[in-house]
Amino acid sequence: MYELGVVYRTIQRTEAHVADQLARFGSATVHEAQGRVGLLHSGIRPVWGGAQVSGTAVTVLLHPGDNWMMHVVAEQIRPGDIVVAAITAPCTDGYFGDLLATSFQSRGARALVIDAGVRDVKTLAEMRFPVWSKAISAKGTIKATLGSVNIPVVCADALVHPGDVIVADDDGVVCVPRALAEKTLEAATKREANEGEKRAKLAAGVLGLDMYKMREPLAAAGLRYLD
Amino acid sequence: MYELGVVYRTIQRTEAHVADQLARFGSATVHEAQGRVGLLHSGIRPVWGGAQVSGTAVTVLLHPGDNWMMHVVAEQIRPGDIVVAAITAPCTDGYFGDLLATSFQSRGARALVIDAGVRDVKTLAEMRFPVWSKAISAKGTIKATLGSVNIPVVCADALVHPGDVIVADDDGVVCVPRALAEKTLEAATKREANEGEKRAKLAAGVLGLDMYKMREPLAAAGLRYLD
Amino acid sequence: MYELGVVYRTIQRTEAHVADQLARFGSATVHEAQGRVGLLHSGIRPVWGGAQVSGTAVTVLLHPGDNWMMHVVAEQIRPGDIVVAAITAPCTDGYFGDLLATSFQSRGARALVIDAGVRDVKTLAEMRFPVWSKAISAKGTIKATLGSVNIPVVCADALVHPGDVIVADDDGVVCVPRALAEKTLEAATKREANEGEKRAKLAAGVLGLDMYKMREPLAAAGLRYLD
Amino acid sequence: MYELGVVYRTIQRTEAHVADQLARFGSATVHEAQGRVGLLHSGIRPVWGGAQVSGTAVTVLLHPGDNWMMHVVAEQIRPGDIVVAAITAPCTDGYFGDLLATSFQSRGARALVIDAGVRDVKTLAEMRFPVWSKAISAKGTIKATLGSVNIPVVCADALVHPGDVIVADDDGVVCVPRALAEKTLEAATKREANEGEKRAKLAAGVLGLDMYKMREPLAAAGLRYLD
Amino acid sequence: MYELGVVYRTIQRTEAHVADQLARFGSATVHEAQGRVGLLHSGIRPVWGGAQVSGTAVTVLLHPGDNWMMHVVAEQIRPGDIVVAAITAPCTDGYFGDLLATSFQSRGARALVIDAGVRDVKTLAEMRFPVWSKAISAKGTIKATLGSVNIPVVCADALVHPGDVIVADDDGVVCVPRALAEKTLEAATKREANEGEKRAKLAAGVLGLDMYKMREPLAAAGLRYLD
Amino acid sequence: MYELGVVYRTIQRTEAHVADQLARFGSATVHEAQGRVGLLHSGIRPVWGGAQVSGTAVTVLLHPGDNWMMHVVAEQIRPGDIVVAAITAPCTDGYFGDLLATSFQSRGARALVIDAGVRDVKTLAEMRFPVWSKAISAKGTIKATLGSVNIPVVCADALVHPGDVIVADDDGVVCVPRALAEKTLEAATKREANEGEKRAKLAAGVLGLDMYKMREPLAAAGLRYLD
């Protein structure tokens, strides 16, 4: 783990039909569905709003201020992938801009998730290439030090293995381990099943207190109503 | 104060005609008008931009990672209220999403102000339900511990009593104590009275230095002009 | 340096044709072009998105919570200037709102860059007056203490002399010293020259690895490919 | 609430024998004992380590960068008091140094808790005057604007009324409302009663799992042991 | 990965003679020796200064505000272990105090590393039980939700597997993967070998420029000396 | 300004008798004495407590994660100097440890002030070499990119020219421009002159309200006393 200077070309990606379907549930539902783990911290925000994607993780580990490996990872992208970029120490530099986005997009990447900064954000929005990052910065990077591609990485507090599924939207980014992806898809599907019905009831003025039968446990816990 | 496990059903709300009128002045003017106190700290930001509201505070105190009381407070909402949610320790979890927003909206709530995170933010924007929060997070919460409803709370550095007026817009959120609301409305009205005239003068190139007669006090304070 | 209570009326501005042309390259390219220095830290963000400007710096040093000098600097603005506001200690108060923006705009200012907060942000967006700040806050300021105008200031980690060029866009804000402006303009022009060609290649699927001839140096640095 | 420009000379202090005894339990035990509320946020740290105090709160509300009211509050101090200083907006300036500490100490103050900065910290340690603050800063303050003394204040997320009890040590600072002080003292005493016995058992190698009888609830919650 | 509700009783610990020897090199040297990866972020600080330890990691994953699993992990501690505690979302609560420290110490634990808060810090120092944490907080925790023990965890940006070596001192905390521990020990030993000689030369006034033969590469890189 | 790749060997240092005497007043008094400017932000803290120094600034500009220029600046140190290290972008890496401290000390440096991290902090304390930094980190740096020595730098929000005086103690760090040093020394001396007398009065119970004759201005500002 954390080998430096290696590129794993062969990774086991989560099956596409699973990876693809997770997008429509969004990060919040998927996070719940897999037992409330795997969330990147909430400092990772979309560079432009409204995108909702899922895809298989291709990972890259970079050094602070050095984006050399971004070009190395580009070659490993397959259609349907999302690049997950971790840095070996906190850094807000702009590792990624319109040229790399053009390259990633042409390779079939669906998005970039990076625990650092990006730039050319106006162009990224115009290109509709989704990026989640912790900063926006005009500061560029050098190309001097080797990192690695497709090793397990820690990105924004979450452990991501190559081939895991990434689900990202305006609420945040969640990583679904490959081994749990199918089960998580099922659980997410189940969670969503009766959401429409619930929403209709709540819209009609039914209280969650009644719909979820909370009054009894609240009283049992000691809740007192006073006037 | 800070009783846990209690819900006050009867609170004294600021009169509607006062609470409602404060919205149009916005948080900055209202904050000035009441003597520059009562502002929530600037980390509290609108989840979607452009809303400008005022309403009477219904308060809820929750525990970190636990949104059980959100369902309890829903029942106490009356049309024209704004829910103010404080947490007993710093937390960025997503306490509130589209289902609760549907419920709050159907009860007549005008907005939510929360010193924590929310989720489903794309849907919140589509629903036009205004939320001010300190974070956006896909991380959900559990329902395990009692807090309280309609007790005085400290929310984002500000003390809010149930029935106070909340004024919120893109500049931030301010709490107007019930006892000061009418006076603050008068003061805000007065402040705004000649704003149009001032704006016209400034647009015409008149300097604030002259319009506000600042040259003399500046000179008295020792300001020197050099070439 | 850091004289207090002085206003320098005569400053040497970078020539307009240089200052004006830098806008179209954006902050990221200009920052690279001048050797990767002069960037304001990435906490300085546009209040509303999409603006891309350049102009000559007029500087103002203010005290925390006190915007008196904003009115003093207004008089020193000439068409094409960008006001750069530094504070003597960290502060997030709202120093600047719609009235000052009206005044600045009528004097010909192109933008404000401030290492503090601003307010009336909805109106600023409607007026299309670009502002880069580190905070948005409804909290106003007093007018009690002298600062200075057109002295060198440190703004968000960058040293700005009056007359320097400021380039700002969604990626951030960079200061180009007057003495380097022409050279930086040339360097930026050169950098952009073959960007279109590069973009076309990358869009066609050519890898940066090949386009930039990185394979050899990567191998020399020890990069290993594994399956 | 949040009246500006007022000094309440007459406040109801918690009885001394209650206020004094709370010190020996420390902030953690007292916080638990009163139901886990009233804690100042953990950014408030002791300026020098090792002090453990309790006393009755005398409150002061100040403006950012302005310590004028520190001299006003000094006169209201009685032996056994702890001064609690809140600021109307975030500020890290050094509001308090060796001269004010000398004055406070001579008036009988036991400590200062301030949601801002202090200075002369080496001397404060030598004087053994305990201070909890969120910053240390050489930056001084002016004396220009009125705040208030002995009004309820929000200090570091906690609501403090004059006369409440403050308990502070290396773990942090907790406010005990006057009305709850006696009950909290009893609860804290009870909590501590069998701590020694527990400590002895744990030191002897008994596991909390057994001592607290957790094995059954853990199993009921689904905990699985694997080899 | 990130299974919840499981306790792995059997883990492969790094051999003691390797794990034990790494302590004397300290975190900085060990971090360099293993290729500059594996460092926990610098927000993790010692609760009391001066300790320098190494040991084998026993990991625990906890939920925010819930320290139930601390008692579960206690049973899995063997002499020479260091407990590494990760939380599923950011939290500064005080998860650990003198009672748990007594228990851990009696089980043979050498230290605790936790990406959250601890309390009773004065007693921890008196007990000489070393703790590295990101916060100190009097706020306690509940015992309600299952986490896991001895699964791989992400702690303060670093991936830690049970059985890895933890090296911690006043400079920070580094995790050495079990598979790299022996090699890292060798590399660290080599790095230290001629440190004494270097120190003596530098103390005698020899410049690093000469000792490391940097003058030529600096000149080659273009360094110019001006008077 | 901000030339990269240059070393200025000849700088004009503030006269030693002035630079040396400023130490005894400490950063707070010196900051006041020169009109409340020149303070480094309060995130810059002493690595070990109790040192109080002044000296002439030798400046170095480094790149994030790269301490090559530390060896270059070492050669420019003269007895009585304090090295001031600025970084071109935010970085918490450990740029400086015991070997460089040995070298700096042998050259006669009195201290290091750095807007980044340092390591080997236990040894630095043992060596009694004072360091003020914004972080402590075991993470080392590379030696790859040229910065500059003895150019004006922005360090932690303050502009520092080579030859200026640095005054640092437990309260923070202040930069006194060379041209103002003598005047500041006089002003500081004057400020201290009657401090002893004031302290004695305050210790005797005289209130600042009376000693500073504040009662009248407070009343004039509208302060009301209530019972």
Side-chain angles (χ1 to χ4, degrees), chain A residues 1 4 35 37 154 157 159 161, chain E residues 1 4 35 37 154 157 159 161:
Chain A
M1 186 136 289
L4 292 177
V37 290
V154 172
D157 296 354
L159 176 59
H161 285 83
Chain E
M1 184 136 294
L4 291 178
V37 291
V154 172
D157 296 355
L159 177 59
H161 285 83

Side-chain angles (χ1 to χ4, degrees), chain A residues 39-138:
Chain A
L39 199 66
L40 279 68
H41 69 61
S42 63
I44 301 294
R45 299 293 304 141
V47 161
W48 52 270
Q52 184 161 334
V53 301
S54 65
T56 39
V58 169
T59 67
V60 57
L61 181 69
L62 305 119
H63 290 279
D66 190 317
N67 80 342
W68 208 11
M69 299 306 288
M70 279 292 191
H71 293 280
V72 178
V73 75
E75 191 176 28
Q76 305 307 318
I77 293 169
R78 292 204 196 151
D81 283 345
I82 291 177
V83 178
V84 176
I87 320 294
T88 58
C91 185
T92 60
D93 288 358
Y95 278 76
F96 182 90
D98 65 342
L99 288 181
L100 273 167
T102 302
S103 178
F104 277 31
Q105 210 171 38
S106 85
R107 306 289 299 179
R110 287 190 183 151
L112 169 71
V113 175
I114 182 166
D115 191 11
V118 298
R119 54 188 191 169
D120 299 332
V121 295
K122 198 155 123 181
T123 310
L124 296 180
E126 287 161 7
M127 294 172 65
R128 309 293 294 169
F129 186 78
V131 174
W132 282 259
S133 73
K134 81 163 180 190
I136 291 170
S137 170

Side-chain angles (χ1 to χ4, degrees), chain E residues 68-86:
Chain E
W68 210 10
M69 300 305 288
M70 279 293 191
H71 293 280
V72 178
V73 75
E75 191 176 27
Q76 306 307 317
I77 294 169
R78 292 202 197 154
D81 283 344
I82 291 178
V83 178
V84 176

Side-chain angles (χ1 to χ4, degrees), chain F residues 32-46:
Chain F
E32 296 284 356
Q34 78 171 333
R36 328 182 86 234
V37 292
L39 199 66
L40 279 68
H41 69 61
S42 63
I44 301 293
R45 299 294 304 142

Side-chain angles (χ1 to χ4, degrees), chain D residues 130-155:
Chain D
V131 174
W132 283 258
S133 72
K134 80 165 182 190
I136 291 169
S137 171
K139 180 162 208 299
T141 46
I142 57 173
K143 296 176 207 321
T145 316
L146 292 188
S148 288
V149 167
N150 281 334
I151 62 167
V153 295
V154 172
C155 182

Side-chain angles (χ1 to χ4, degrees), chain F residues 115-187:
Chain F
D115 191 12
V118 298
R119 53 187 191 170
D120 299 331
V121 295
K122 199 156 118 181
T123 310
L124 296 179
E126 287 161 7
M127 294 172 65
R128 307 296 292 171
F129 186 78
V131 174
W132 283 258
S133 72
K134 81 164 180 190
I136 291 170
S137 170
K139 181 161 207 302
T141 46
I142 57 173
K143 295 174 207 322
T145 316
L146 292 188
S148 289
V149 167
N150 281 334
I151 62 167
V153 295
V154 172
C155 182
D157 297 354
L159 177 60
V160 180
H161 285 83
D164 287 351
V165 184
I166 299 298
V167 182
D169 59 14
D170 286 356
D171 290 341
V173 182
V174 66
C175 172
V176 181
R178 187 167 56 90
L180 302 182
E182 191 141 10
K183 203 174 106 192
T184 299
L185 178 58
E186 281 164 32

Side-chain angles (χ1 to χ4, degrees), chain A residues 198-216:
Chain A
K198 279 186 204 164
R199 194 173 290 108
K201 278 190 188 169
L202 293 168
V206 176
L207 287 163
L209 286 177
D210 298 310
M211 193 171 79
Y212 299 115
K213 300 190 196 314
M214 288 174 174
R215 291 193 192 272
E216 206 176 332

